[in-house]
Amino acid sequence: MLLGERVALRARIESDVPVLHEELYGDVATRSRSDSRPWRPVPLESGQSPYRVRPPEDGFAEFSVLERAGGAATGGELAGEALLWGIDAHHRMAHIGLSLRPSFRGRGLAADVVAVLCRYGFETLGLHRLQIETLADNAAMIATARRNGFAVEGTLREAAWVSGRFVDEVVLGLLSPGRLG
């Protein structure tokens, strides 16, 4: 388990799946803004939920996010999901993704999730670079990334198709604090 000040990241377990599937995948408007693939109905019972428990695989590290109760190292309520994806061992880089359940949004947890993912990526995986891509109107994610030291590296104009229109995407990057050179 990876611990932050307010969150803990742990491997996904079966009891997380129905909650994450209902609240994150079932929220079509939000899911459509966070996934480049078009939303389609996926019944939980199909075993194809994007939140299903999977064996570890190269290039992908997914976690369930718990809000730590009173600073406890274990336990806490399921707050959402977090992941490093596109982990590239050769170029030593990865992308960060996260999604919090609606009742956990706006409470400052995302900044701690990003900090924990950065520590894991840089210290445990030995990565050199982490990257976040988000829609240009996602002020909360941009602020969260910047609070964690990410720099806005550019805007990809009309790079995402969301709810029937093209929208801009912002790319933010962070280099390892222990980088060479």
Side-chain angles (χ1 to χ4, degrees):
M1 185 175 298
L2 304 175
L3 299 177
E5 290 181 21
R6 300 183 57 205
V7 299
L9 276 56
R10 63 152 166 78
R12 183 148 316 131
I13 58 176
E14 289 296 336
S15 61
D16 297 342
V17 178
V19 176
L20 295 174
H21 188 84
E22 179 182 338
E23 293 192 35
L24 299 180
Y25 193 76
D27 180 355
V28 178
T30 301
R31 179 73 184 190
S32 297
R33 293 174 50 81
S34 64
D35 193 330
S36 62
R37 298 165 295 194
W39 186 91
R40 59 188 173 90
V42 175
L44 179 62
E45 301 76 25
S46 71
Q48 295 304 307
S49 172
Y51 304 103
R52 68 190 176 276
V53 175
R54 295 178 267 226
E57 61 182 82
D58 291 340
F60 196 76
E62 63 185 350
F63 304 92
S64 286
V65 176
L66 304 178
E67 181 177 33
R68 292 177 63 187
T74 60
E77 191 174 352
L78 179 64
E81 70 143 350
L83 61 136
L84 290 182
W85 60 276
I87 300 171
D88 183 330
H90 178 71
H91 295 291
R92 295 179 48 208
M93 62 129 355
H95 304 263
I96 287 179
L98 71 102
S99 185
L100 297 176
R101 295 170 57 198
S103 61
F104 290 88
R105 295 177 190 154
R107 294 168 41 181
L109 298 178
D112 199 28
V113 171
V114 171
V116 173
L117 287 172
C118 289
R119 191 174 68 242
Y120 174 70
F122 293 138
E123 295 175 11
T124 303
L125 300 182
L127 299 177
H128 173 70
R129 174 187 168 78
L130 293 171
Q131 183 169 309
I132 295 173
E133 300 88 4
T134 190
L135 299 181
D137 66 353
N138 190 348
M141 187 66 225
I142 293 169
T144 291
R146 294 185 78 153
R147 266 194 304 277
N148 276 284
F150 282 77
V152 173
E153 295 182 336
T155 299
L156 304 174
R157 296 178 305 136
E158 297 186 1
W161 178 254
V162 178
S163 300
R165 64 186 183 94
F166 287 103
V167 296
D168 293 350
E169 195 171 58
V170 174
V171 177
L172 299 107
L174 179 65
L175 299 179
S176 170
R179 66 185 180 271
L180 299 175

